């Protein structure tokens, strides 16, 4: 899972309240280079703040009460919904219901694809509307044809969005 995340540009960092020896053993076995151990909730907030200040986008994955402030501060907070505390789930943007971390690369790839689709849909619909307004102003487009053009544009945006239902992360990972 971590290798797949690395291929799409995610750099894992371990922030943990565990002691240094435990954190280093876990990070070494997982291939995580940056490790912050013995972290209190405020320490995690400071690390996230420093990374955000340096321009990094932060995705925080947590499960406990101590993770709730960090989940809120991160650009994207993901809580372990099944094993996580209620406050962590409430603080997070996303809750993994099945707690299967193997789905995290798919989630990240899908969200990137979704943002591209949203930007494309907005650009297309705005361009179509501007062109239709200009054509209506100069008298080339009558109201009935304008309504049809608008509705056709809406259908195209919906069809493009529906393509996300068949999204396969293999193309992105």
């Amino acid at each position: 899972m971590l290798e797949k995340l690395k291929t799409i540009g995610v750099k894992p960092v371990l922030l943990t309240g565990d002691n240094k020896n435990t954190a280093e053993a876990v990070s070494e076995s997982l291939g995580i280079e940056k490790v912050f151990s013995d972290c209190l909730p405020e320490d995690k907030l400071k690390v996230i703040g420093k990374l955000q200040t340096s321009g990094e986008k932060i995705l925080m994955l947590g499960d406990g009460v101590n993770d709730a402030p960090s989940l809120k501060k991160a650009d994207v907070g993901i809580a372990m919904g099944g094993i996580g505390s209620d406050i962590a789930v409430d603080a997070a943007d996303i809750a993994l219901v099945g707690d299967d971390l193997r789905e995290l690369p798919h989630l990240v790839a899908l969200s990137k694809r979704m943002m591209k689709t949203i930007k494309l849909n907005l650009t297309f619909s705005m361009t179509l509307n501007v062109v239709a307004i200009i054509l209506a102003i100069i008298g080339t487009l009558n109201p009935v044809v304008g309504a049809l053009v608008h509705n056709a544009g809406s259908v195209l945006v919906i069809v493009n969005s529906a393509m996300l239902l068949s999204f396969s992360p293999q193309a992105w990972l």
Side-chain angles (χ1 to χ4, degrees), residues 11-168:
K11 293 182 263 179
V13 175
L14 179 60
L15 294 174
T16 181
D18 293 332
N19 67 49
K20 184 177 181 179
N21 292 335
T22 303
E24 287 178 355
V26 169
S27 67
E28 188 176 310
S29 70
L30 295 175
I32 299 174
E33 295 173 16
K34 280 190 178 180
V35 182
F36 298 90
S37 59
D38 299 309
C39 291
L40 297 172
E42 56 269 16
D43 298 328
K44 292 178 183 181
L45 286 173
K46 287 178 188 174
V47 171
I48 289 172
K50 284 181 185 177
L51 291 170
Q52 286 174 326
T53 302
S54 69
E56 300 285 341
K57 295 290 183 193
I58 306 300
L59 182 151
M60 170 72 181
L61 178 65
D63 66 350
V65 173
N66 292 338
D67 294 326
S70 299
L71 289 167
K72 200 66 163 168
K73 183 170 180 64
D75 296 300
V76 177
I78 301 177
M80 306 293 286
I83 62 170
S85 68
D86 289 342
I87 193 162
V89 171
D90 287 342
D93 301 305
I94 300 168
L96 295 179
V97 178
D99 293 335
D100 187 0
L101 294 180
R102 292 174 295 180
E103 292 299 319
L104 201 54
H106 178 261
L107 177 66
V108 172
L110 177 61
S111 67
K112 287 183 177 188
R113 176 67 180 160
M114 183 178 62
M115 288 307 299
K116 285 187 178 193
T117 299
I118 289 170
K119 289 175 185 175
L120 178 69
N121 286 346
L122 285 172
T123 302
F124 170 75
S125 64
M126 295 298 230
T127 303
L128 181 68
N129 286 339
V130 167
V131 168
I133 289 169
I134 291 170
L135 291 175
I137 289 172
I138 61 174
T140 306
L141 197 62
N142 67 44
V144 173
V145 176
L148 291 173
V149 167
H150 177 75
N151 288 335
S154 297
V155 168
L156 287 174
V157 165
I158 291 168
V159 167
N160 189 39
S161 298
M163 300 295 281
L164 288 170
L165 294 172
S166 63
F167 174 75
S168 172

